[in-house]
């Protein structure tokens, strides 16, 4: 049996660390860089003692901004699973807040099904606590997860319901901007680029008005990515340069990687391959791999493979694209899988591996046919079908 004095020390330590986190005066969280291993260990320890669960769960919740800014989602995934398992033991007012944050966390690590489970738990606890704000966030979280699951109509319904509640409460400006951003992503996926640009610009403005530069930079990233899809490559680069000005070196590592990925892509589409290559190479691949940021790693290696194709470096392209394909399989990302397989086929054909190239094209077509609702995937599928006809008749 755990001694009461020992539990009191655990709770006191959690309370001390919580005060340290809440004492950070801005969203850079620099004072936590030297402490985060100790904090992670304290959370893991506290979760093993039911009497200290409330303080420990609250400490975990307070750290979400730090985790997001540094891109530590992979490093914190195991402890977040433990937090999620303890949510039923928390009082409703705390449980709904922790469950919602866990739902958004699992979305970041490409687990939308688990995210939906967390937001369902948040809805239940929010109802018990009478907390309409957390109820709105749970519904917004459902919309977020359903965007990832490509359930766009259902996602849009969720998001608009959440925004109505936030408007009635007249609070949660950051979350309101997040809902608008999600609507912009839905429009972008559907190929309605003018509407997507309008919504994403509105979202970025909302984040800036709320004083959150990292989230504004991410909205600008999505806006630049959409402008690239619409063929507005130079406008995209200007938008992404504006995003970079909102970020600081060593902070917001995911946002940095995303912006450089999108900017390099626009340079690539402008056929400025040296600048595209330099931009992609500025992304720290080892950091992405170490912290489990596999989606960014997948895109970066795919893009480096595409540059290698343009430079006629067939073996190097094969290496990069094969690695990207392995990551796409791991993540279950069919669009990226189909795209990279189509690129790999080009490298294989130039290496004289026609049977392997045919197999890659067949698998790419099969993968992309699963995304009829995505405008970009439909266009990529048409290009790969033409590629197969040209190569094999």
């Amino acid at each position: 049996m755990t001694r009461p004095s020992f539990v009191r020390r655990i709770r006191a330590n959690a309370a001390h660390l919580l005060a340290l986190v809440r004492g950070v005066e801005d969203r850079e969280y620099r004072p936590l860089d030297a402490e985060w291993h100790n904090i992670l260990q304290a959370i893991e320890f506290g979760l093993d003692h039911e009497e200290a669960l409330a303080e420990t769960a609250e400490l975990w919740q307070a750290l979400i901004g730090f985790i997001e800014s540094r891109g530590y989602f992979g490093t914190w995934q195991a402890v977040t699973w433990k937090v999620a398992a303890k949510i039923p033991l928390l009082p409703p007012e705390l449980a709904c807040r922790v469950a919602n944050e866990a739902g958004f966390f699992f979305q970041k690590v490409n687990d939308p099904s688990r995210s939906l489970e967390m937001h369902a738990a948040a809805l239940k606890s929010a109802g018990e606590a009478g907390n309409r704000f957390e109820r709105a966030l749970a519904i917004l979280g459902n919309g977020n997860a359903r965007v990832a699951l490509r359930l766009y109509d259902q996602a849009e319904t969720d998001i608009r319901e959440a925004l109505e509640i936030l408007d009635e409460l007249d609070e949660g400006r950051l979350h309101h901007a997040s809902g608008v951003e999600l609507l912009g992503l839905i429009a972008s996926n559907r190929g309605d680029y003018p509407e997507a640009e309008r919504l994403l610009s509105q979202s970025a403005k909302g984040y800036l008005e709320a004083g959150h530069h990292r989230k504004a930079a991410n909205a600008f990233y999505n806006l630049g990515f959409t402008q690239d899809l619409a063929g507005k490559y130079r406008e995209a680069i200007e938008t992404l340069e504006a995003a970079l000005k909102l970020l600081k070196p060593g902070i917001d590592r995911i946002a940095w990687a995303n912006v450089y990925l999108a900017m390099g892509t626009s340079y690539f589409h402008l056929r400025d391959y040296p600048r595209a290559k330099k931009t992609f190479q500025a992304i720290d691949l080892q950091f992405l791999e170490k912290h489990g940021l596999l989606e960014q790693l997948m895109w970066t290696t795919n893009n480096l493979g595409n540059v290698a194709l343009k430079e006629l470096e067939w073996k190097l392209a094969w290496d990069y694209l094969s690695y990207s394909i392995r990551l796409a399989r791991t993540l279950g990302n069919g669009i990226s899988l189909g795209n990279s397989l189509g690129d790999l086929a080009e490298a294989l054909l130039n290496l004289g591996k026609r049977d392997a190239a045919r197999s890659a094209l067949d698998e790419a077509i099969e993968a992309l046919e699963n995304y009829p609702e995505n405008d970009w995937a439909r266009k990529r599928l048409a290009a790969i079908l033409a590629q197969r006809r040209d190569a094999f008749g």
Side-chain angles (χ1 to χ4, degrees):
M1 181 176 178
T2 305
R3 291 179 298 170
S5 60
F6 185 59
V7 172
R8 282 197 297 271
R9 287 200 296 273
I10 295 172
R11 296 178 65 186
N13 186 44
H16 164 72
L17 293 172
L18 181 60
L20 175 67
V21 174
R22 288 178 172 168
V24 177
E25 295 181 355
D26 57 33
R27 293 191 177 99
E28 293 183 18
Y29 303 101
R30 291 186 190 274
L32 303 183
D33 283 323
E35 293 286 338
W36 75 271
H37 285 286
N38 294 331
I39 296 174
L40 177 59
Q41 188 176 43
I43 292 173
E44 290 178 335
F45 199 59
L47 291 172
D48 290 332
H49 297 83
E50 188 171 332
E51 302 92 332
L53 281 182
E55 291 87 351
T56 303
E58 198 157 6
L59 174 60
W60 174 87
Q61 183 201 348
L63 284 159
I64 289 297
F66 171 71
I67 296 166
E68 183 178 3
S69 73
R70 299 303 188 270
Y72 289 165
F73 290 102
T75 311
W76 285 75
Q77 195 166 350
V79 77
T80 301
W81 274 95
K82 290 181 69 175
V83 169
K86 302 295 185 180
I87 287 172
L89 303 177
L90 299 174
E93 184 60 44
L94 177 58
C96 62
R97 291 188 280 116
V98 173
N100 268 330
E101 291 291 7
F104 290 117
F105 180 100
F106 284 119
Q107 182 61 36
K108 292 288 188 180
V109 295
N110 302 298
D111 193 347
S113 296
R114 184 62 171 166
S115 178
L116 285 171
E117 290 178 16
M118 291 294 95
H119 292 304
L123 272 174
K124 180 176 181 294
S125 297
E128 293 171 0
N131 190 325
R132 291 190 70 213
F133 178 69
E134 291 297 332
R135 172 178 168 76
L137 296 195
I139 297 169
L140 184 62
N142 284 338
N144 190 16
R146 284 168 179 145
V147 169
L149 291 167
R150 299 155 26 224
L151 303 171
Y152 297 135
D153 291 345
Q154 195 172 356
E156 187 171 358
T157 299
D158 288 333
I159 295 162
R160 293 194 184 282
E161 181 183 353
L163 291 179
E164 284 183 16
I165 298 172
L166 292 173
D167 284 338
E168 290 173 12
L169 296 174
D170 193 24
E171 62 177 307
R173 284 189 299 164
L174 280 175
H175 297 292
H176 194 285
S178 176
V180 174
E181 185 178 12
L182 286 170
L183 291 175
L185 291 175
I186 291 172
S188 182
N189 279 311
R190 286 172 170 165
D192 188 351
Y193 300 130
E195 177 67 1
E197 288 185 50
R198 184 187 70 79
L199 290 166
L200 292 168
S201 296
Q202 180 183 335
S203 173
K205 181 181 178 182
Y207 287 134
L208 287 173
E209 288 174 350
H212 205 307
H213 286 185
R214 180 177 69 251
K215 290 186 181 297
N218 192 63
F220 278 129
Y221 152 71
N222 284 319
L223 174 58
F225 187 79
T226 296
Q227 289 170 329
D228 181 272
L229 290 174
K232 301 177 180 179
Y233 307 131
R234 296 195 185 281
E235 285 185 39
I237 291 169
E238 290 177 5
T239 298
L240 295 163
E241 286 174 344
L244 284 178
K245 291 177 182 177
L246 297 173
L247 302 173
K248 296 183 180 179
I251 307 294
D252 305 330
R253 302 296 291 268
I254 293 181
W256 274 95
N258 286 340
V259 171
Y260 272 101
L261 275 165
M263 187 176 289
T265 299
S266 291
Y267 282 128
F268 184 88
H269 289 150
L270 287 169
R271 301 183 181 181
D272 188 344
Y273 304 125
R275 189 171 293 184
K277 182 178 182 179
K278 183 178 180 181
T279 305
F280 296 138
Q281 288 178 334
I283 300 169
D284 188 341
L285 299 184
Q286 289 185 334
F287 179 89
L288 298 180
E289 186 172 23
K290 177 180 178 182
H291 293 287
L293 301 175
L294 302 185
E295 193 168 71
Q296 285 78 9
L297 187 59
M298 174 187 69
W299 291 333
T300 306
T301 50
N302 171 79
N303 292 345
L304 286 168
N306 273 276
V307 172
L309 288 177
K310 295 299 181 182
E311 294 179 339
L312 310 184
E313 296 280 354
W314 311 121
K315 179 59 169 62
L316 182 61
W318 184 10
D319 291 340
Y320 276 129
L321 292 167
S322 295
Y323 186 51
S324 183
I325 287 166
R326 287 197 296 273
L327 292 171
R329 294 191 200 282
T330 298
L331 294 169
N333 190 319
I335 292 180
S336 291
L337 176 62
N339 177 51
S340 293
L341 282 165
D343 295 328
L344 179 65
E346 182 180 344
L348 290 168
L349 284 169
N350 281 283
L351 289 167
K353 300 178 181 293
R354 289 183 58 81
D355 289 344
R358 185 194 293 270
S359 295
L361 289 171
D362 288 345
E363 187 180 356
I365 291 165
E366 183 180 354
L368 290 170
E369 284 177 337
N370 291 320
Y371 296 85
E373 76 292 336
N374 186 284
D375 179 71
W376 187 90
R378 290 197 303 271
K379 292 175 181 175
R380 187 71 178 108
L381 174 60
I384 290 176
L385 286 168
Q387 181 183 359
R388 186 175 65 174
R389 285 195 300 272
D390 289 345
F392 299 102

